[in-house]
Amino acid sequence: MIALRIFTFLSIFLSIPSILYADVTIWKEILLENFESSTYSKSNIRTKLEKDTPLPDLSLSQNFTAPIPGSKQALVLRVPKLSNFPFSVYFPEAILLKDFVKEIRIPVYSSGSNGNLTLIIENQDFETRQIAITSLNYRGWKDCVVSFANHIDQNDRIFLQGSSLRMLGFFYLPNENNSNNQEVLIAIDDITAIVRDKYRPLRNKELLLED
């Protein structure tokens, strides 16, 4: 009996590293957008104001990138005082998120405008939602992490029939106390996601929902 208990204990003890290794390696980081293969222009900017309202300047820059390895180009927004109003920037094509997303990582530059930046997501019910990225109350580059697991339902409506979220773009909301003479500068670099396969072998087969 004692020998059986010792063998059971050793079996559990030796299996712990493999369990921990599986939990660690189940996640992977994928690139969603690096702003190097798509074309952006003012046509990607949308606002609910009048058509003649001056739009912010939007460009792709090779000289103004985040301090991250391999970055060659970033999306840059210059918002003059006449254009400092709420607006959205849409990707040329929506980015599909087919895997289970733990978080989105986005390097964001701010000139200290005190506005807010959110991520525009379309869920599998075709409803548009916004998830906060960061308050722009800082100067310089900041690595922003957008948590998905606690903010949006990613479970397929029908088990094993794949569905996906769609990442549409960004929404900028200025701070009403900004100086009228203040030019706002925002830059966004390589967007990545921490993901795993949507359906993995379950430790408890009675649990069908994602955790």
Side-chain angles (χ1 to χ4, degrees), residues 179-190:
S179 169
N180 291 332
N181 297 321
Q182 181 179 1
E183 180 184 67
V184 175
L185 180 64
I186 304 169
I188 301 169
D189 213 330
D190 294 4

Side-chain angles (χ1 to χ4, degrees), residues 46-51 53 85-88 130 171:
R46 302 179 191 176
T47 177
K48 294 183 178 180
L49 301 182
E50 299 178 358
K51 292 183 178 180
T53 302
F85 48 75
F87 62 83
S88 302
Q130 292 188 30
F171 178 74

Side-chain angles (χ1 to χ4, degrees), residues 123-125 127 153-159 161 163 199:
N123 65 20
Q124 52 193 331
D125 295 321
E127 299 171 338
D153 180 16
Q154 300 184 59
N155 293 296
D156 290 346
R157 295 294 179 261
I158 301 176
F159 187 66
Q161 288 195 8
S163 63
Y199 292 103

Side-chain angles (χ1 to χ4, degrees), residues 12 16 27-28 30 45-46 55 100 117 157 165 211:
I12 295 173
I16 289 175
W27 298 101
K28 60 183 178 181
I30 62 172
I45 301 177
R46 302 179 191 176
L55 296 176
F100 185 85
L117 196 66
R157 295 294 179 261
L165 306 175
D211 55 14

Side-chain angles (χ1 to χ4, degrees), residues 5-209:
R5 289 180 179 176
I6 294 174
F7 176 78
T8 302
F9 174 78
L10 287 175
S11 298
I12 295 173
F13 178 79
L14 292 174
S15 66
I16 289 175
S18 61
I19 294 173
L20 294 176
Y21 178 78
D23 287 342
V24 169
T25 58
I26 199 169
W27 298 101
K28 60 183 178 181
E29 185 171 12
I30 62 172
L31 178 66
L32 300 179
E33 172 64 273
N34 61 6
F35 303 103
E36 294 173 17
S37 58
S38 300
T39 301
Y40 285 82
S41 66
K42 286 190 175 182
S43 62
N44 297 100
I45 301 177
R46 302 179 191 176
T47 177
K48 294 183 178 180
L49 301 182
E50 299 178 358
K51 292 183 178 180
D52 294 335
T53 302
L55 296 176
D57 295 324
L58 184 151
S59 63
L60 294 169
S61 174
Q62 297 180 353
N63 300 318
F64 191 68
T65 58
I68 55 178
S71 176
K72 298 180 181 178
Q73 196 161 258
L75 183 70
V76 179
L77 282 157
R78 294 185 181 275
V79 188
K81 59 181 181 179
L82 296 178
S83 303
N84 196 29
F85 48 75
F87 62 83
S88 302
V89 177
Y90 281 81
F91 300 118
E93 294 185 7
I95 298 174
L96 295 182
L97 303 173
K98 296 182 179 181
D99 295 324
F100 185 85
V101 181
K102 179 181 181 182
E103 61 193 28
I104 302 288
R105 297 179 178 179
I106 311 173
V108 178
Y109 178 90
S110 170
S111 60
S113 67
N114 295 317
N116 288 285
L117 196 66
T118 57
L119 195 60
I120 306 173
I121 299 293
E122 183 182 83
N123 65 20
Q124 52 193 331
D125 295 321
F126 304 102
E127 299 171 338
T128 301
R129 296 187 55 188
Q130 292 188 30
I131 303 177
I133 299 175
T134 185
S135 172
L136 299 167
N137 58 352
Y138 61 92
R139 291 183 180 275
W141 285 97
K142 177 182 177 181
D143 290 326
C144 302
V145 177
V146 182
S147 175
F148 260 56
N150 298 326
H151 287 87
I152 195 164
D153 180 16
Q154 300 184 59
N155 293 296
D156 290 346
R157 295 294 179 261
I158 301 176
F159 187 66
L160 291 180
Q161 288 195 8
S163 63
S164 60
L165 306 175
R166 300 172 75 239
M167 194 164 71
L168 305 181
F170 305 91
F171 178 74
Y172 166 72
L173 181 65
N175 188 295
E176 59 183 10
N177 295 322
N178 281 355
S179 169
N180 291 332
N181 297 321
Q182 181 179 1
E183 180 184 67
V184 175
L185 180 64
I186 304 169
I188 301 169
D189 213 330
D190 294 4
I191 305 173
T192 61
I194 304 299
V195 303
R196 62 164 167 78
D197 292 341
K198 182 165 284 190
Y199 292 103
R200 65 189 190 279
L202 298 174
R203 294 184 294 273
N204 184 348
K205 293 184 179 180
E206 294 178 1
L207 299 176
L208 297 180
L209 296 180

